[in-house]
Amino acid sequence: MEKLLGAYSLQSFVASIFIANGSTPAEAEQVAANLVLANLSGHDSHGVGMVPRYVAAVAEGGLRPNQGVAVRADTGSLLALDGQRGYGQVVGPQAMALGIERALAHGSCIVSLAQAHHLGRIGHFAEQATAAGLVSIHFVNVLSRPVVAPWGGGDGRFGTNPCCIGVPLPGDAPFVLDFATSRVAQGKMRVAHNKGERVPPGYLIDAQGAPTDDPGVVVVPQPPSGLFGALMTFGEHKGYGLAVACELLGGALSGGGTWHQPAVKTSAVLNGMLTVLIDPQKLGTADSFAAESRAFVDWLRQSPAGPGSTGVQVAGEPERACRAERRQNGIAVDAQTWDDIVRAGASVGVMAPAFG
């Protein structure tokens, strides 16, 4: 049976686990807040369900608490940074803060971030940039067990490789487009597997390369071979092409590396991210940008609702609506995920409090 938890209580419990696992209180609170924000935003795949994996990654040495970004190259409007395997929820915002400062000074900044542990929901960084009035573009690769098949392939060869674009809309909430280049995020398959759900056709192939609706094929080893299945890319060859671009830009160009080895069983998830930041003010188009972007979004919203739809939305709106609903009504955590979190806490000496 799932638990319905308040955001503050859940965040406090998760932070206590990270403190016991070696993080400073400030770091633990920052990571916990980011994970809970992902749940509030409707992205349970990037939320507190990651806690067991993070605890295991610290124990294995692949995730290093209390690390910050190191500057490897600095030309003013171009920064090469190393996350030193620190929590992505810490080194990611640090990298963005440095890039935002430079973009506001120079008009633009390109930031590469290598060797960050799991960055989580990339939309968080786009929101950070748009809050400063900047456009941001993010290409991210994933160094972990390869879970996505190339178009025309029959097994996993790379990660879910997200792409994200944030655009400030003066006078309105920002446009935040944040998506995995796979049909669905790997974490969503973990959530579906834990809930005992099946998934729509076209999402997955099994360990033999055949279509399947069982999310477990990318969550647990499949008998008798012990192999995993794979996710499919969205949009057939188009999503595959974008996934490769994320690997080349977020991985190879950042210096973090690309995936080209057999699957491993370690818990760490390392990300590389290439971010482009642009200041419309310095570009000289701020006034027309504000007018034209607002006019276009208004034009979209005037479209009549299609069959089965309640009306047109733009990227970022579903997350903001979900935050309001879940802050009021609580965050639902399925029984298996909750048990996994409780066991992870117990492994570092933290017992779950009695939630209402």
Side-chain angles (χ1 to χ4, degrees):
M1 182 176 180
E2 70 179 19
K3 297 187 75 69
L4 195 63
L5 306 172
Y8 178 78
S9 298
L10 182 58
Q11 181 176 319
S12 296
F13 173 46
V14 169
S16 70
I17 294 174
F18 293 142
I19 291 171
N21 208 33
S23 290
T24 65
E27 176 175 89
E29 285 291 342
Q30 184 171 348
V31 177
N34 183 285
L35 294 176
V36 170
L37 180 60
N39 286 106
L40 286 170
S41 302
H43 296 283
D44 296 320
S45 55
H46 292 69
V48 297
M50 294 301 300
V51 169
R53 187 159 189 175
Y54 289 3
V55 170
V58 170
E60 295 168 0
L63 167 56
R64 301 170 183 164
N66 309 314
Q67 297 296 313
V69 293
V71 178
R72 301 305 186 199
D74 180 356
T75 68
S77 60
L78 189 148
L79 290 169
L81 307 174
D82 188 329
Q84 304 188 101
R85 295 192 172 220
Y87 277 102
Q89 293 84 356
V90 173
V91 299
Q94 287 177 355
M96 288 298 299
L98 290 171
I100 288 168
E101 180 182 24
R102 299 301 178 84
L104 292 173
H106 300 289
S108 65
C109 187
I110 297 174
V111 183
S112 70
L113 174 63
Q115 295 290 301
H117 194 265
H118 189 234
L119 288 165
R121 175 179 164 266
I122 307 304
H124 176 84
F125 307 122
E127 289 169 349
Q128 192 177 346
T130 57
L134 303 177
V135 173
S136 71
I137 306 168
H138 310 261
F139 302 94
V140 182
N141 85 320
V142 183
L143 298 181
S144 181
R145 178 172 60 83
V147 295
V148 184
W151 177 244
D155 67 354
R157 292 282 153 164
F158 49 84
T160 52
N161 291 11
C163 181
C164 180
I165 301 171
V167 182
L169 300 176
D172 204 346
F175 171 92
V176 179
L177 178 65
D178 178 17
F179 60 95
T181 48
S182 53
R183 281 289 301 268
V184 65
Q186 160 73 0
K188 293 188 186 298
M189 296 297 92
R190 169 178 47 80
V191 172
H193 174 69
N194 286 349
K195 290 181 176 180
E197 298 174 348
R198 312 300 279 192
V199 300
Y203 279 32
L204 298 163
I205 54 175
D206 64 19
Q208 289 72 48
T212 180
D213 64 355
D214 177 11
V217 300
V218 294
V219 179
V220 295
Q222 299 299 292
S225 65
L227 299 175
F228 289 87
L231 291 158
M232 305 298 290
T233 56
F234 84 89
E236 301 178 339
H237 62 286
K238 298 177 182 178
Y240 164 52
L242 186 53
V244 173
C246 287
E247 193 77 24
L248 297 176
L249 297 174
L253 188 59
S254 74
T258 61
W259 190 272
H260 44 79
Q261 65 184 29
V264 295
K265 296 182 179 179
T266 54
S267 298
V269 181
L270 297 179
N271 290 139
M273 179 167 69
L274 183 75
T275 296
V276 179
L277 297 164
I278 303 168
D279 184 357
Q281 289 284 351
K282 291 286 197 302
L283 193 63
T285 62
D287 291 342
S288 60
F289 168 68
E292 288 297 324
S293 58
R294 184 60 182 266
F296 180 64
V297 170
D298 287 346
W299 167 252
L300 293 175
R301 288 173 173 154
Q302 290 167 19
S303 178
S309 169
T310 57
V312 171
Q313 297 187 83
V314 296
E317 288 182 345
E319 287 83 357
R320 291 188 288 270
C322 189
R323 286 177 197 173
E325 186 274 325
R326 290 189 173 188
R327 285 193 190 280
Q328 179 174 343
N329 299 322
I331 297 169
V333 179
D334 68 85
Q336 181 61 58
T337 297
W338 179 247
D339 287 346
D340 291 343
I341 295 170
V342 170
R343 281 196 295 271
S347 73
V348 293
V350 176
M351 298 299 108
F355 291 98

